Every structure is written in C-alpha cells, then in structure tokens.
Amino acid sequence: MLAYITRRLVYGLVTLLALSMVVFGLLQASGGGPLNRLRLNPRMQDLIQELTELWGLDKPVYQQYLTWLKNYVTPEEFGLQNAIPIVMVLAAVGGTFLIARYMKSHWKGGVILLMWVVAIIVSVANMNIEFNWGVSFQGGGSVWDLVFSRAGATFRLGFTALFLALLIGIPLGIYQAVRQYSFFDQLGTVGAFLMFSTPIFVVGIGLQIVLALYLEKWTGVKVFYVAGMNEPGYGDLSFWGQMKDTLQHLMLPAISIALISLAGYARFQRASMLEVLHSDYLRTAKAKGLPRRTIIVKHALRNALIPIVTLVSIDIAFIIGGAIITESIFGWPGLGSLYITAIDTVDYPLVMAIVMIIGIGIVIMNIVADIMYGVMDPRVRYE
Amino acid sequence: MSDDRHMMDGPEDGPIVVTSEEHAVDLLEAEGMGVEPVTQWDLFSTRLRRHRLAMIATFFLIFLLVLVLVAPVMQNAGWIDPPTKSLVDGEGRILRNIAPRGASDNVFYSEFVDGVETQVSASSTALWFGSDDLGRSVFSRVIFGGRASLTVGLVAGLMVAALGTIVGSLAGYYPGGVDQSLMRFTDLVLGLPLLPVAIVVGRILPELSFLPSWLTSGAMGIALLLGFLSWGGLARIVRAEFLSLREKEFVEAARAAGASDRRIVFRHILPNAMSPIIVQTTLIIGTAIIVEAALSFLGFGVRPPTPTWGAMVAEGGRLAVRGYWWGLVFPGFALVSTVLAINFLGDGLRDALDPTQTIERK
C-alpha cells in the first residue's frame, strides 16, 4: 500500500508538471499578453520597458518557466513555528497507514481517515508559510495574498454545494432503489436525466432570474440576493441577521452547483443500493425474518454507501469547474471569478497559481478516493 | 405441418447430400421449415425501437441536424432572417427586443423602448421567437447557433472515438512497454482539469495568428480542443475491454487458426468492444456540447457575431433581467433539449447494445 501511494504521488507530480507546462506554454504563445493593453498608448513605452525587465518577459520561455517553477515551490517565509503543523501532518499520514493496515474492514477506519484529512487541511491552512507566487499584472498585488483572500469564499460555496448534494442526493437514491419502478422512482430518473443535460449556467441564470429577481417582484419580499457574498452593512448586523444575510446570498449559487452533483449522487446511490438489494446475503437476511427496516438500514445501506465515497472525491473536480461558472454568474468573490478575470487579461502569475491549486486539489482527491475505497471495502486490493 | 415431418428424412433412393450452408437453408425451406436468420443488428434495432424515449430523441436529433444543415439554404431563399443582421421596419427603425407573438405577416408588434410600448410593423421570423437587443431574430439565431453546437459535438465525438479506440486498443492488445507508456500518457491527459484548461485555450486561440482562421475563430478549434482533452476515459474503457477479450476462447481459436494480429483485432475483438465505444462516444458528444456552450457563455468560445447557444444564454440572461425573457428561454431550451436527446439516445443505445439484456424492458 505504501508503494501504491508513493507511485500514485509520483504520477500525480508528473501530471502537475505537465499541466503547468501546458498552461504556461499556452499563455506565452498568446504573445504580448498582459502588456497588450499598455501598448495601445504610445507614451507607455518606458513603462512597458520597465515592466518587461521587472517581470522578465524578455527572457526565453523556458527560463521564465523555470523561474516561475522555482518560485512556486519554494517557500519564502518559513519559521520554526511551522514545525508543529508539519509534525501533525506527518503523524496524520503515518496514522493513516496504520489505520489502513489494521482496520481495513471497519467503518471506523474511514471515519478516522476523513478526520485526518480534515486535520491535514486545517494544519496546512494554519501554517505560517508563504510562497512567492509572483505579482499580479492587473493589480500589482501579491498573487499569494490575492489567492488566499479569495479561497475562503470558494470553499464556503463548494462545501455548501457538496453538503446539499449529499444531504438530498443519497436519501433520494436510496428511496428510489427501495421503491424501484414506483412513480417516484421514474420521476427521479427523468429528473436526473434532465439535470445531467442542463448546463450549470442555464441553472444558475434561471435560478437567479426566477428566485432572486422575479420572486421579489411578484411577492415584494427579498428572499435571495442576485449577486455578491454579503451586503455592505454586514458588519453591523446581529448574529442572526448575519446568518440570514449569508444564507440569502449563499443558497442560490450553492443550489446551482449542487443540483447537477445531486442528480449524479442519486443515480449512483440508486444503482449501488439496487446491487446490494439483489445480493445473496440480503436474501438470507430476509429469509431469516429480519424486519424490513433493519435489512435496509443495517444490512444494505452500509455496503451501498461505499462506492459513493469515490464519487464524492471525483466530484470535487466537477465542483471546482462548476464554481468557475457559477461564481461569475452570481458575482461570488471566489477563486473562480478571479480566474476568469485573470484569464481575460492573460495575467499569468495569477492564472498559473489558480490552475495549479485546482490541479493539486484534483490529484490529492483522486488518491484520497482510492485509499478511502480500500479502507472501507476489504475486498479491494491495491496492485 | 404434421409433427413427424421434422425428421429430415431423405427421398427413398438415398441420403441427402448437403453441399453448403445455403443448400441446407434451401432444403429446410423446401420442407416448409425455413428460418429467418436473426442478426445482431436485428436484435439491436428491435431493442432500440422498444425504447420510446430513445426513438423520440433520435427523430429530434435527425430533425435538428437537417434543420441546421439547410439553414443557409433557407436563409438564401428568404425563409429565415440572417442571424447576424439587425432587422428594421419600414421606417428604418431597428426592431429591438420585440416580443414573440403570433405568426402571420404584417401585423403590428410592440417594441419596448425605455419601458414604453410603441407599435412597429414587422414581417419575419422575429415574430416567432422575438428579437434581441440588437434587433436580430432570435429564431434564426437559435437555428444557426445549433450549427456551432452540433459541429462541436460531432467533431469532438468523432475525434474521441478515433483517439480513444486507437490508444485503448493498442494498449490493451500489446501489453508491456506499449501499454505502460500509452496509459501513462492517458493518465496525463485525464489529469488535466477540463474546464480551466479549455478556458485558457479558448482565451488565447484567436491570438494564435500562425493558425488558419477557420481554426481560431470558429467552432472547429473548440471542437478539436475538446476532442483532444476528453478521449482519456474512452481509451481506458477500450483497453479494459481488449484486456478481457484477448483472453477469450474465440480469440485463442482465431490465433490457433493462424489469424494475423490485424485480423484478430479488426474481425474478432473490435466488433465485440463496439458497444461501450458507441455509448461512451454518445455521452461525450453531450458533454462536448455543454462545455462548448459554457466556454461561449464565458466569452472564451466561438466569437461573436457567430451565434451560439451558450453566448445567447449569456446575452439572454442580461436581457431577461430587464423583462425580455425570450432571449434566454429559447436558446436555453434548445441547448437543454438537444443534450437531453443525446443522453436519452445514449441510454437507449446502452440498453440495445447489451446482448445480455432481454428484449423486454421493465
């Protein structure tokens, strides 16, 4: 298993290198890039010269790439206090191996693993570490600061969407499987097809116009806001007022992202539950006269939930992609809308930083998915 | 026919000599026992025809394809308005944001100018779906917008089918070095996040002046891009199919009979691996259409003034805020129903191509 994870990590690193080269090369191929706007003004000649030298835009592409790569992976500030989170991370990784080794068949293993992943994320987030990811061409600010001021918003949106999708999708799929071919099941199937076929921006704009705009026009009550994350007077509100304001802004973009994931979860959960329901050991449970409720909750559900773990991890990539579009529709100040503006101006330090964060997230989530799957299902063996 | 006749008794003077398969069939037919051979295709088409939604979807897609193909002809014949030109009334006023009403010619239609309703006359397809902010007929823009979507879907689909099948079958048939290197490359391509990378390419595509213009400005560049980014999944599936099929007895028999690799792959393995290839390609077409629409929606896809559904939804969203719902509803509906039809067709194909599936459907 250690060899397996190491191999996966190496492949992941190669993928990330390839991703960075492809995107860097593409951005360079566009020619001129960030300075094109300045070129329109003839008096900017000196400034262009200065900026070109400052950012090293006159050097060959491979040199620029190597400089970027070196800066991207080398921490600029690194104090002794960072030792604590690093030790925590190492302990978590070591503990994960132990868990995976000795608690293979137990659900607890999966839960503890999940807690460890959260611990890793929290400790990394609290690490007092800073990278020199360059300076954003458009604003001139540090890319690192810019990215981290926006990441919270994306996390809030993404996790709310994931939570909603799981909360609704999994029970929906289970209910559909238990009442297979009922009217509700058929309705759910058609609904899932419809959701799969609806692009996220159609959902987003539809919700925005109907629930945020027309609902207020028709009823006179402001239920949802059209755009933004908080109203200007947010700081002065009471706790509940802040809560209400947050939800009124958050729900529509979160629902837009969640709806499509939700359809996927419901379909997947239904299929997995049906497979379990038709298995021999369930027939045994039925034959020995267990109550239907016990059969479904204790015998079927536990095994039927395993495959969804993989889907959740892979879905993270989808949620990131969905966030790019949804954030730009709802004016959500997260990484997705930042990415769009960065691309628009070919601000490549910023574009590279965000693309690499997305890539790293996907690589890690895929590995986590495979490990979780093995921990929860003892039949899985790593090659 | 009496029961005792099914014994193949020959004439009194001797046993029958059966010379060929056709001869055997002839003999059976002469005995009144002719059997219609049932081919895989018959089974497939029977199963597909039972799938009502898939059939409706197929007809819808064929209708759409024909409509989109003849759209320029219809425009030349004057049946539909040009998609990129503003419509004007008799007095030269641009017909902005006309609401869709009625379908007969030369009726008065209202135009909203700064919230005030005025009467203008118009006779065009703008009457059916209304007109947009620049006074262009939404109806003809929806039809012409379908050209971009279908081009992207079909070209990307073909490309995925070709690349995925070639890479997957090579990797699956030749284990070892070929398999390893091809699959590592596949992993690499699968590791690229589709939408972020597609946005980057979509953004810089028009600035790549060394490429021919049909590649940089139209749907073709986006189609090739999406095709290149999304063949990984199919390659994995085809490889898995090949790995399992190449160990089957019938392949071993063919090999023992001295068949060449080429014959084994094309005559024995590939036909048996066709069903996942077809189903997966269908689903990829749906995804490609959605991603193209998303790119155009964000402004990094097909460039204006060429109409595409994605860009029309973006524009329509801004108009719908002001109350002009038709700019949003019609392209949105076209997009969703097309992808829905493709997904239903994919579902029907999956059921119809599965040989273990009984002819009955729930």
Side-chain angles (χ1 to χ4, degrees), chain A residues 150 154 323-325 327-328 331-342:
Chain A
R150 297 288 201 105
T154 297
I324 293 180
I325 298 170
E327 282 180 6
S328 60
W332 189 262
L335 286 178
S337 49
L338 186 65
Y339 186 65
I340 296 292
T341 48

Side-chain angles (χ1 to χ4, degrees), chain A residues 27-196:
Chain A
L27 290 170
Q28 291 285 343
S30 73
L35 298 179
N36 266 355
R37 284 195 181 169
L38 294 178
R39 288 221 174 81
L40 294 176
N41 189 338
R43 277 179 298 178
M44 289 291 178
Q45 218 39 260
D46 293 345
L47 184 62
I48 289 174
Q49 192 62 38
E50 201 179 309
L51 289 176
T52 307
E53 272 169 35
L54 181 68
W55 291 331
L57 295 176
D58 49 350
K59 295 201 184 103
V61 177
Y62 75 93
Q63 260 186 28
Q64 289 190 45
Y65 174 74
L66 288 178
T67 314
W68 170 84
L69 187 65
K70 191 177 139 271
N71 285 337
Y72 195 85
V73 297
T74 324
E76 201 173 42
E77 261 177 42
F78 194 78
L80 201 63
Q81 68 272 33
N82 291 315
I84 299 162
I86 286 178
V87 167
M88 267 179 77
V89 169
L90 287 179
V93 173
T96 310
F97 286 132
L98 286 179
I99 292 277
R101 208 171 166 82
Y102 294 111
M103 298 180 75
K104 258 203 150 176
S105 56
H106 290 289
W107 252 93
K108 287 176 208 152
V111 173
I112 293 178
L113 188 56
L114 192 67
M115 283 163 59
W116 253 311
V117 171
V118 173
I120 292 175
I121 293 173
V122 169
S123 43
V124 169
N126 286 326
M127 250 201 240
N128 185 22
I129 196 170
E130 203 173 318
F131 287 88
N132 176 16
W133 284 356
V135 175
S136 165
F137 288 164
Q138 36 179 338
S142 149
V143 169
W144 175 268
D145 291 344
L146 203 53
V147 163
F148 272 78
S149 67
R150 297 288 201 105
T154 297
F155 268 101
R156 183 193 286 186
L157 182 58
F159 276 102
T160 314
L162 187 64
F163 178 72
L164 281 178
L166 288 171
L167 192 72
I168 303 169
I170 290 181
L172 200 68
I174 293 168
Y175 189 81
Q176 276 185 282
V178 173
R179 302 239 186 289
Q180 199 187 3
Y181 301 144
S182 66
F183 172 73
F184 186 81
D185 181 29
Q186 312 261 5
L187 193 73
T189 304
V190 173
F193 260 102
L194 196 63
M195 277 343 296
F196 279 138

Side-chain angles (χ1 to χ4, degrees), chain A residues 11 15 19 26 29-30 181 193-194 196-199 201 205 209 213-214 321 324-325 328-329 339 343-344 346 362, chain B residues 184 188 191-193 195-196 200-201 203-204 207-208 293-294 297-298 300 317 320-321 323 328 335 339-340 343 347 362:
Chain A
Y11 291 159
T15 309
L19 174 67
L26 284 169
S30 73
Y181 301 144
F193 260 102
L194 196 63
F196 279 138
S197 312
T198 312
F201 58 89
I205 288 205
I209 283 168
L213 217 76
Y214 279 81
I324 293 180
I325 298 170
S328 60
I329 293 174
Y339 186 65
I343 292 267
D344 230 356
V346 201
I362 291 172
Chain B
R184 289 293 81 76
L188 219 65
L192 299 177
L195 196 66
V200 172
V201 182
R203 166 65 180 84
I204 63 145
E207 292 180 16
L208 302 178
F297 174 83
L298 293 170
F300 303 124
V321 172
L328 174 65
L335 187 57
V339 180
L340 195 61
N343 284 342
D347 191 47
K362 40 183 174 173

Side-chain angles (χ1 to χ4, degrees), chain B residues 7-31:
Chain B
M7 302 285 291
M8 279 268 288
D9 291 326
E12 299 300 308
D13 50 329
I16 324 173
V17 182
V18 180
T19 53
S20 68
E21 207 176 310
E22 287 81 20
H23 187 207
V25 173
D26 287 346
L27 283 173
L28 279 168
E29 269 171 4
E31 295 280 314

Side-chain angles (χ1 to χ4, degrees), chain B residues 238-252:
Chain B
V238 174
R239 172 176 174 269
E241 284 285 315
F242 264 64
L243 281 180
S244 97
L245 285 170
R246 69 193 298 277
E247 304 299 330
K248 288 271 155 66
E249 286 84 353
F250 67 90
V251 174
E252 209 169 313

